[in-house]
Amino acid sequence: PAVAGPFSYLSKVISVCGLGAAHLVPQPHRQHHQITDSETHHHMHQLLMAYNRMLQEHGSMKEYVRQNAATGLEAVEAICRFFAAHDASAVVPKNTASACKRVCMFLRWMVRSGSPVDLGLWADIIDRRTLIMPLDTHVVQEATRLGLLTSRTASMSTAKKLTAAMLEVFPDDPLRADFALFGLGVDENR
């Protein structure tokens, strides 16, 4: 059956690509599990269906965040909670036990402004001083090397510690250090 709303074309796309409902069901786990095309399709389908639900219930993701969060961390928690409740936690983490890199990066793009990649479309609902540093291997590696972190684990706890350290250096915009830490880590690996 076709899905109503902004993603009603999803069913058409799936059928045009030759993918029926069977392609949206994950394959049973194997001993050495690799993500299959059908699992990817399933995960993306779940993500889009959850997003469609968000649009139906709140009109936009911005409005959902406005209704459920006042800070960057609360926004991460709210986004994770919504997508987990709608079975889309393969793409969006189900909670903030992990560093939630993709969600933190998305919020960075939506809240910050003044750079070629940061859009600032949500600057009116979330203060950029409350954003959480997106953590990846390179950022953790450089932050540890510089003595900003003692843990090499990419967790939300670590992300909050690094954000707090960057607040001391850049009190108006702690994520200003994100590109510098990422770039240093990438350059070190070359």
Side-chain angles (χ1 to χ4, degrees):
V3 178
F7 293 106
S8 61
Y9 63 87
L10 185 62
S11 294
K12 290 180 185 177
V13 170
I14 290 169
S15 65
V16 167
C17 293
L19 302 173
H23 287 86
L24 296 177
V25 177
Q27 299 295 314
H29 288 2
R30 292 168 292 286
Q31 185 175 5
H32 299 287
H33 184 73
Q34 293 179 331
I35 296 175
T36 65
D37 286 346
S38 64
E39 286 173 306
T40 300
H41 292 288
H42 175 74
H43 297 321
M44 292 309 297
H45 180 264
Q46 293 300 104
L47 176 70
L48 293 173
M49 292 302 99
Y51 183 60
N52 186 41
R53 176 59 60 105
M54 182 183 282
L55 294 177
Q56 290 173 355
E57 293 175 6
H58 302 279
S60 69
M61 185 180 287
K62 180 179 182 178
E63 189 55 34
Y64 171 78
V65 170
R66 179 191 323 270
Q67 294 170 7
N68 291 279
T71 67
L73 180 59
E74 290 173 3
V76 173
E77 292 167 344
I79 290 169
C80 290
R81 189 171 49 249
F82 184 90
F83 284 95
H86 293 87
D87 298 322
S89 57
V91 178
V92 178
K94 63 183 174 223
N95 59 45
T96 57
S98 73
C100 302
K101 176 192 168 190
R102 286 176 283 213
V103 178
C104 291
M105 183 62 74
F106 173 76
L107 288 170
R108 177 218 152 114
W109 294 332
M110 299 307 289
V111 174
R112 290 185 79 246
S113 59
S115 85
V117 297
D118 297 323
L119 305 173
L121 299 174
W122 293 5
D124 59 326
I125 64 168
I126 301 289
D127 185 332
R128 69 183 181 184
R129 293 173 295 192
T130 67
L131 293 173
I132 303 297
M133 182 73 73
L135 287 188
D136 68 5
T137 304
H138 306 296
V139 172
V140 171
Q141 177 181 327
E142 283 311 304
T144 304
R145 190 177 69 78
L146 294 170
L148 299 168
L149 292 174
T150 56
S151 171
R152 291 187 173 269
T153 304
S155 66
M156 185 55 68
S157 174
T158 304
K160 290 191 301 188
K161 286 176 186 169
L162 181 57
T163 302
M166 292 299 91
L167 262 171
E168 292 180 26
V169 179
F170 303 109
D172 194 44
D173 186 7
L175 270 58
R176 184 174 177 191
D178 181 31
F179 274 143
L181 290 171
F182 175 78
L184 280 171
V186 169
D187 287 344
E188 291 279 322
N189 290 329
R190 288 185 185 181

